[in-house]
């Protein structure tokens, strides 16, 4: 890492998620001009070494900044600071950042409201082509079941596609703001479901959501979603996920 950024990094406080703390420091460095639009941030391994944390925390921070439209993370190119004009109409990354167990529950309440809207709208207006696209998204999840990362990405794409079927662009942006910063926590949740043999149950609830939408059965699709939450929320409390710290924080799929 260059001297300009190393000297600006502070030890992390142990009061909320590591990813949120890293994102805050990197955001300050960008807003202060230490990193200019077009600059490439140090690699994730280098950042993890400088912050004295795991790669998981750095990945979460990059997801937060990506959701806020401050950086663009591209495989092979790294993480590049975006100009204000390049950023799309996104919501601040803190919208999806979880600091404690109470905030996690509040985030899940917000997500339930958003997904209830998307399910209701999709059940009312989804076209056969859109239903087929949702089934394709579930099939992609099934095909990715051998990899936690790939399954989590496919899972997130399913829910974002569902929000697009609902047809409300603001709700879709909100869903993106909630999902992306929680990606690392989603991976942990999926890893637990896979390790405990519950991944097939998780997949089945997604199939039930699509079945209900295809029938125009809003209540049936919502029950599938509620059962999905119940399976995922049975695991873990919210914490930092670092050795010696509180239990790992989790997001639902």
């Amino acid at each position: 890492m260059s001297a300009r950024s190393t000297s600006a990094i502070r030890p992390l406080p142990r009061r909320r998620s590591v990813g949120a703390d890293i994102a805050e420091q990197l955001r300050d460095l960008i807003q202060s001009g230490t990193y200019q639009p077009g600059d490439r941030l140090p690699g994730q391994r280098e950042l993890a070494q400088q912050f004295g944390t795991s790669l998981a925390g750095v990945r979460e921070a990059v997801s937060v900044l990506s959701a806020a439209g401050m950086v663009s993370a591209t495989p092979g190119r790294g993480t590049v600071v975006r100009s204000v004009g390049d950023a799309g109409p996104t919501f601040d990354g803190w919208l999806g950042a979880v600091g404690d167990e109470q905030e996690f529950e509040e985030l899940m309440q917000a997500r339930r409201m958003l997904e209830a809207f998307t399910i209701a709208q999709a059940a009312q207006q989804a076209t056969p082509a859109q239903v087929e696209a949702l089934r394709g998204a579930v099939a992609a999840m099934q095909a990715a079941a051998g990899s936690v990362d790939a399954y989590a990405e496919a899972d997130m794409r399913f829910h974002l596609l569902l929000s697009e079927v609902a047809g409300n662009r603001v709700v879709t942006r909100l869903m993106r703001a909630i999902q992306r910063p929680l990606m690392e926590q989603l991976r942990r949740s999926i890893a637990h479901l896979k390790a405990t043999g519950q991944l097939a149950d998780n997949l089945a609830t997604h199939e039930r959501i699509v079945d209900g939408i295809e029938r125009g059965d809003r209540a049936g699709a919502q029950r599938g979603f509620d059962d999905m939450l119940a399976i995922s929320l049975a695991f873990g409390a919210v914490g930092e996920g670092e050795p010696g710290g509180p239990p790992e924080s989790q997001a639902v799929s």
Side-chain angles (χ1 to χ4, degrees):
M1 179 184 289
S2 63
R4 60 176 180 172
S5 56
T6 302
S7 61
I9 288 178
R10 308 181 303 275
L12 294 177
R14 310 296 291 181
R15 53 184 171 79
R16 55 178 181 175
S17 76
V18 170
D21 284 316
I22 295 174
E24 181 179 342
Q25 289 202 42
L26 291 176
R27 185 183 66 240
D28 289 346
L29 291 172
I30 292 170
Q31 290 178 338
S32 69
T34 301
Y35 287 106
Q36 300 284 337
D39 284 351
R40 185 178 289 105
L41 296 184
Q44 293 187 3
R45 291 187 183 280
E46 186 175 354
L47 284 173
Q49 182 179 14
Q50 291 296 331
F51 282 109
T53 186
S54 65
L55 275 172
V58 173
R59 291 193 191 106
E60 182 182 350
V62 171
S63 292
V64 170
L65 295 175
S66 295
M70 298 186 74
V71 301
S72 175
T74 306
R77 187 165 179 242
T79 304
V80 178
V81 178
R82 303 177 69 178
S83 68
V84 174
D86 289 338
T90 58
F91 290 82
D92 287 343
W94 56 258
L95 186 62
V98 176
D100 53 39
E101 192 166 356
Q102 178 60 35
E103 192 170 16
F104 176 76
E105 177 57 30
E106 291 166 0
L107 179 61
M108 290 303 99
Q109 290 171 356
R111 185 187 173 185
R112 288 186 190 103
M113 289 188 289
L114 288 171
E115 297 252 19
F117 172 83
T118 63
I119 288 170
Q121 291 297 107
Q124 178 180 334
Q125 65 190 30
T127 66
Q130 288 173 325
V131 171
E132 188 63 26
L134 287 169
R135 291 206 181 279
V138 175
M141 291 173 61
Q142 185 173 20
S147 166
V148 169
D149 285 350
Y151 188 95
E153 287 283 356
D155 191 333
M156 187 174 72
R157 285 195 296 271
F158 171 86
H159 290 281
L160 293 177
L161 176 59
L162 180 58
S163 71
E164 291 169 3
V165 171
N168 186 305
R169 289 172 295 178
V170 173
V171 170
T172 297
R173 292 173 195 155
L174 283 167
M175 286 296 296
R176 289 185 184 279
I178 286 175
Q179 293 281 349
R180 277 295 175 188
L182 291 176
M183 192 61 193
E184 184 57 37
Q185 294 162 318
L186 173 58
R187 289 188 184 98
R188 295 175 189 152
S189 179
I190 295 302
H192 172 79
L193 294 176
K194 182 176 174 61
T196 56
Q198 299 180 80
L199 204 57
D201 294 335
N202 175 272
L203 187 66
T205 58
H206 288 77
E207 292 172 340
R208 287 168 52 200
I209 292 171
V210 181
D211 288 343
I213 289 171
E214 185 174 33
R215 296 192 307 267
D217 178 6
R218 169 183 175 179
Q222 184 65 49
R223 283 194 297 272
F225 177 77
D226 290 342
D227 288 346
M228 181 204 70
L229 281 185
I231 292 170
S232 297
L233 286 175
F235 169 54
V238 174
E240 296 186 9
E242 295 294 323
E248 290 181 340
S249 55
Q250 305 299 330
V252 297
S253 57

